[in-house]
Amino acid sequence: MFADLDVASAAVLLCGASERVRQVAPKYQAAAQVTSVYSPDLLASAIEGISPSVVVICAEQPNEIASWRQAVKTARNSRGLHAVLLVDSEPAPQQVGRVYLIGAGPGDPGLMTRHALEALSRADVVLLDHLAPHQDLPRWAPKAEIIDVGKTPGKHRVPQRDIDQLMVEYAQAGRTVARLKGGDPYVFGRGAEELYVCEQAGIPVTVYSGVTSSIALPALAGVPITLRGVSHMFTVVSGHAPLSGSELDQLAGLLKDGGTVSLLMGVKSLPHTVAGLRERGVPASLPMIAVQDGFRPQQREIYATLDDCLETLADVKPPAVITLGEVCAVAGPRRDEVMARAFETH
């Protein structure tokens, strides 16, 4: 084997399939000259060109090794070859890949970060979520296999455990995996769970934050999540499941104190949320706004109040972000009144 030979001044000829030769080549990088040949039919001409002192058969399968041995034997007889013959059949050490957990933002490709685009450009595999921007994905990730694992309400095409398994298996095979998520991976995006799964498998992970729709979509409708003199606190809530009594208590207190609530995945559970807030004394006049299909051609922005929202927002469909709080008045008829309060505090 290489370590037992003085090849510093030797000409080494590597023989075998191209991928296997590339795996073995680093072992012989100290040689004076390294040449590769990928077909037994080309061995004789390669030998004539470089007169190697070491010939290495880079193969693992017995039939492939036998084919190359026969080609070397023929070359010995016809070309007077006196090179040392090695068979390097040891499996190449598998290089573990890397996973990038990427927040792709709320849907507008312009809101993706440079880090996100750089990671995509290096990716061998992209695991794509439903809400992640994908219009130019073949250009952003030109060498990647793109796999749609997106989930829509009530429809999980690929279960989460299978997504976890795909990440791990591709990375363990030495591939660079981009897990492309809408919004931010750590805002109801299962980013922490996926990070943990990879860490348990010994796979390095890099997390790139994204612009969360909980802030970007109300901003798209002209609604700030906080406003001087109006709201100095906000919270982000998942409405995927109906809120508990204690959760509704907290939200009611926040809203009555002037806070803002950004409700994600809350369309289906909105009647339950509204009833719970009204029962806890949140004023019927509280303004709110829903932004449906943000940053998409069919985008809609609908202003309402707690009193009329079940009727006004009756035809809103996911994906949508519903924002509640006094700041939402800047998108309605009380805009000047609310903005005057902001300027009074200057």
Side-chain angles (χ1 to χ4, degrees), residues 296-328:
R296 292 168 175 80
Q298 64 272 32
Q299 175 183 313
R300 299 171 63 208
E301 304 161 15
I302 308 102
Y303 178 84
T305 65
L306 202 60
D307 183 50
D308 65 21
C309 66
L310 296 185
E311 179 181 351
T312 306
L313 306 181
D315 64 343
V316 171
K317 300 287 189 287
V321 172
I322 300 172
T323 307
L324 305 88
E326 186 67 5
V327 292
C328 296

Side-chain angles (χ1 to χ4, degrees), residues 177-188:
V177 180
R179 177 72 173 103
L180 191 64
K181 296 171 169 289
D184 183 276
Y186 280 3
V187 181
F188 306 129

Side-chain angles (χ1 to χ4, degrees), residues 197-210:
V197 167
C198 292
E199 285 181 339
Q200 292 298 104
I203 296 165
V205 180
T206 301
V207 180
Y208 290 140
S209 298

Side-chain angles (χ1 to χ4, degrees), residues 20 23 57-65 87-92:
R20 178 63 182 163
Q23 292 175 337
I57 297 175
C58 310
E60 297 174 293
Q61 300 302 319
N63 59 339
E64 187 182 3
I65 293 173
V87 177
D88 195 328
S89 58
E90 294 180 3

Side-chain angles (χ1 to χ4, degrees), residues 73-126:
K73 180 179 179 181
T74 301
R76 285 184 187 278
N77 294 335
S78 64
R79 307 280 175 167
L81 178 66
H82 300 290
V84 175
L85 176 63
L86 301 175
V87 177
D88 195 328
S89 58
E90 294 180 3
Q94 179 64 59
Q95 296 295 318
V96 175
R98 170 176 290 275
V99 170
Y100 292 94
L101 295 179
I102 301 172
D108 181 354
L111 294 178
M112 293 176 64
T113 66
R114 285 179 55 189
H115 280 318
L117 293 172
E118 288 169 1
L120 286 171
S121 72
R122 296 192 291 270
D124 300 308
V125 180
V126 177

Side-chain angles (χ1 to χ4, degrees), residues 127-144:
L127 301 179
L128 175 66
D129 261 3
H130 172 60
L131 294 178
H134 59 272
Q135 301 92 321
D136 293 324
L137 193 50
R139 180 169 60 85
W140 300 332
K143 64 177 184 174

